[in-house]
Amino acid sequence: MMKKRIEAGEKLTGRTWHADTVQLFLYNAAIWNPHRIHYDLPYTQEAEGHPQLLIDGPLQGDWLTQMVYEWLGGNGTLTAFAYSNRRAAYVGDVLSTTGEVTGVDGDIVTLDLRITNQRGEATTVGNATVVIEPSR
């Protein structure tokens, strides 16, 4: 449930993600992404030179939006969202979503969003704007 007063600096509740090969296969099938780096380990290692299957950038973007929707708890609308992948994330990585309120202007709230790996390196950064619905 959304608090009545939202202030800059407020942290969003994040989540930890452990993508596995089944999740990558199903996600890529659902979005019709045929790139083999997400499901074919020998190809990924031999042809592309990666140590492990890559976790999709769009999947990480989806995790960020999921964090925002969970924070809103049905009490607002996501009106703008952007993200950028900064570093490869691999199967076996432990990825954590975090977010922070960076501005409040009436019912419009801006958020900074981030995914970091187990080494504390940012794999994905983003921002969002939400409109908070008035309390009923």
Side-chain angles (χ1 to χ4, degrees):
M1 177 175 256
M2 183 64 61
K3 295 190 308 186
K4 289 195 180 246
R5 183 166 168 81
I6 299 168
E7 297 181 357
E10 179 178 330
K11 305 292 187 204
L12 279 67
T13 301
R15 186 186 272 185
T16 300
W17 299 91
H18 307 264
D20 62 19
T21 56
V22 173
Q23 183 179 26
L24 290 183
F25 175 79
L26 293 172
Y27 183 82
N28 283 284
I31 67 168
W32 290 79
N33 181 4
H35 200 324
R36 294 168 61 182
I37 61 174
H38 304 299
Y39 65 87
D40 183 342
L41 184 57
Y43 170 84
T44 301
Q45 292 174 329
E46 296 163 16
E48 299 277 348
H50 292 283
Q52 186 51 268
L53 297 175
L54 279 89
I55 299 172
D56 302 63
L59 177 57
Q60 293 179 66
D62 288 347
W63 290 340
L64 290 175
T65 59
Q66 185 172 346
M67 178 179 57
V68 171
Y69 282 120
E70 288 171 354
W71 178 74
L72 285 170
N75 295 313
T77 304
L78 176 64
T79 59
F81 173 71
Y83 72 96
S84 174
N85 298 112
R86 300 296 173 91
R87 139 182 333 269
Y90 299 102
V91 166
D93 282 348
V94 178
L95 301 177
S96 300
T97 57
T98 59
E100 180 177 344
V101 174
T102 55
V104 180
D105 184 7
D107 60 353
I108 300 171
V109 177
T110 54
L111 307 167
D112 275 349
L113 311 169
R114 178 174 298 265
I115 296 178
T116 54
N117 62 22
Q118 67 275 9
R119 292 175 297 282
E121 302 163 328
T123 61
T124 305
V125 297
N127 56 68
T129 303
V130 298
V131 176
I132 303 300
E133 295 177 5
S135 298
R136 294 184 193 146

